[in-house]
């Protein structure tokens, strides 16, 4: 028998703080390279109306390996996401998890991992680019880990931006203000979160002030771009969630071509564990560019599964 978990059940079982802890532990394990966490590159299968994506991984500490499948690009449809968890000891299918909420939790946690690894403690002034569900995930996750001193958001569409700011102000109990020009979200920000589907840069170098950190989560395919080349070149420390997968998928870094020395791109898990450089001087700019990794889905899904067993939640499937 396998347990089926719905979106609302996942939301009730796993908090933003829970996901932060689970994902950071998985990233540290993967960076250690000792075989306790495995991540496989995202595979994309084109169809007539969109694309099927498949990601696989395993986290020994969680006790599971598995895969995430999702479809994107179909007109008028949100992504359809499922996560399958298999027990590492027996190979048995343990859970089938509806994955949109799970994806939000792990995507936000990945964004926050970059902040936790690369930004000193203290209240943060935050700039956000994007007003969709990934922008909400990045902001909610960060708010669960750090004190927010203020938030300014820019999006190209005014009505969704205004609605996003209203909802997030209420949800976080922090003023979330709408920027009237794109540079306003970056000016004075300690941390800049980019969460868009852009294929041309939305964040320019001249807007970013000395000492800022950027956590970018939108450029998870070669054609996608959020950051100007000149901005990436200014960043003295660059980290990713999986260097191998970033070479395949990170549009922001791939755009630099031979100008980027990949040997200087760090695994964020190593920085979280204290195994690498962060900011050597207050004026330096740091960057975490996430493309999304399956180990984050497996770690978060495993937590949801164990919580569901303890709470008697979910539906048993004859599988």
């Amino acid at each position: 028998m396998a347990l089926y978990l719905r979106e609302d059940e996942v939301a009730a079982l796993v908090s933003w703080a829970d996901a932060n802890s689970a994902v950071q532990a998985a990233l540290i394990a993967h960076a250690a390279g000792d075989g306790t966490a495995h991540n496989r590159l995202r595979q994309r299968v084109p169809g007539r109306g969109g694309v099927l994506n498949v990601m696989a991984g395993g986290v020994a500490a969680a006790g599971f390996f598995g895969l995430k499948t999702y479809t994107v690009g179909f007109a008028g449809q949100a992504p359809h996401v499922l996560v399958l968890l298999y027990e590492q000891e027996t190979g048995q299918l343990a859970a089938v998890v509806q994955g949109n909420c799970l994806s939000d939790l792990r995507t936000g946690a990945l964004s926050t991992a970059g902040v936790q690894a690369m930004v000193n403690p203290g209240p943060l002034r935050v700039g956000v680019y994007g007003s969709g569900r990934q922008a909400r995930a990045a902001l909610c996750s960060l708010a669960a880990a750090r004190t927010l001193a203020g938030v300014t958001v820019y999006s190209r569409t005014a009505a969704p931006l205004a609605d996003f700011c209203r909802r997030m102000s209420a949800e976080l109990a922090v003023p979330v203000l709408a920027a009237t020009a794109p540079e306003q979200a970056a000016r004075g920000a300690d941390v800049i979160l980019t969460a868009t589907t852009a294929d041309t840069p939305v964040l320019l170098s001249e807007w970013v002030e000395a000492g800022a950190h950027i956590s970018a989560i939108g450029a998870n395919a070669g054609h996608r771009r959020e950051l100007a080349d000149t901005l990436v070149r200014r960043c003295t420390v660059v980290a990713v969630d999986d260097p191998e997968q970033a070479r395949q998928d990170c549009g922001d870094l791939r755009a630099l071509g031979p100008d980027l020395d990949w040997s200087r791109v760090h695994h964020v898990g190593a920085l979280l564990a204290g195994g690498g450089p962060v900011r050597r001087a207050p004026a330096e700019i740091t960057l975490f560019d996430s493309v999304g990794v399956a180990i984050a889905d497996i770690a978060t899904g495993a937590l949801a599964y164990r919580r569901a067993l303890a709470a008697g939640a979910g539906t048993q499937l004859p599988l």
Side-chain angles (χ1 to χ4, degrees):
M1 301 285 281
L3 193 67
Y4 180 70
L5 295 179
R6 303 187 312 270
E7 303 283 8
D8 60 322
E9 291 171 320
V10 173
L13 292 165
V14 182
S15 70
W16 297 105
D18 292 333
N20 285 341
S21 297
V23 168
Q24 288 178 35
L27 290 169
I28 291 170
H30 186 249
D34 59 2
T36 58
H38 297 275
N39 191 67
R40 293 294 176 260
L41 301 184
R42 179 187 285 108
Q43 302 296 312
R44 294 183 171 91
V45 183
R48 292 181 179 179
V51 179
L52 170 68
N53 295 261
V54 182
M55 307 165 64
V59 182
F64 293 92
F65 47 27
L67 56 88
K68 173 182 180 177
T69 67
Y70 63 101
T71 57
V72 295
F74 291 87
Q77 294 191 41
H80 294 276
V81 190
L82 282 177
V83 173
L84 308 182
L85 297 176
Y86 294 83
E87 295 178 357
Q88 287 198 353
E89 292 295 329
T90 67
Q92 295 296 309
L93 178 65
V96 178
V97 186
Q98 283 191 334
N100 283 296
C101 179
L102 199 66
S103 290
D104 291 346
L105 289 162
R106 72 76 137 143
T107 298
L110 287 170
S111 177
T112 295
V115 177
Q116 295 295 74
M118 306 172 81
V119 180
N120 291 330
L124 301 174
R125 298 166 296 172
V126 181
V128 181
Y129 287 80
S131 58
R133 65 184 300 157
Q134 287 200 336
R136 173 182 176 267
L139 195 51
C140 286
S141 177
L142 183 58
R146 303 293 288 268
T147 299
L148 306 186
V151 181
T152 305
V153 185
Y154 177 76
S155 179
R156 292 172 177 171
T157 49
L161 172 59
D163 180 63
F164 179 85
C165 291
R166 283 193 298 269
R167 289 187 290 109
M168 296 310 301
S169 294
E171 186 169 357
L172 301 179
V174 172
V176 178
L177 307 177
T180 57
E183 60 267 26
Q184 289 180 354
R187 300 289 188 200
D190 302 304
V191 170
I192 302 170
L193 309 175
T194 62
T196 73
T197 58
D199 55 15
T200 57
V202 299
L203 182 61
L204 304 186
S205 180
E206 55 265 33
W207 303 340
V208 179
E209 298 182 8
H213 168 78
I214 304 156
S215 276
I217 59 175
N220 65 348
H223 68 281
R224 289 187 172 177
R225 298 286 308 282
E226 292 191 305
L227 313 178
D229 293 352
T230 51
L231 174 57
V232 177
R233 291 190 181 99
R234 283 180 67 197
C235 298
T236 55
V237 183
V238 178
V240 295
D241 37 15
D242 181 343
E244 184 181 6
Q245 190 161 321
R247 283 177 178 268
Q248 170 185 290
D249 287 341
C250 188
D252 289 326
L253 301 185
R254 283 165 51 95
L256 270 64
D259 290 344
L260 178 66
D261 181 0
W262 281 94
S263 69
R264 299 182 63 186
V265 176
H266 303 278
H267 194 309
V268 73
L271 301 186
L272 286 165
V278 186
R279 183 178 279 111
R280 296 164 297 186
E284 292 185 331
I285 298 172
T286 58
L287 167 63
F288 171 59
D289 215 325
S290 170
V291 294
V293 286
I295 54 172
D297 296 282
I298 301 304
T300 311
L303 180 59
Y305 171 70
R306 296 193 188 283
R307 293 268 177 88
L309 289 181
T315 303
Q316 292 290 340
L317 301 175
L319 296 176

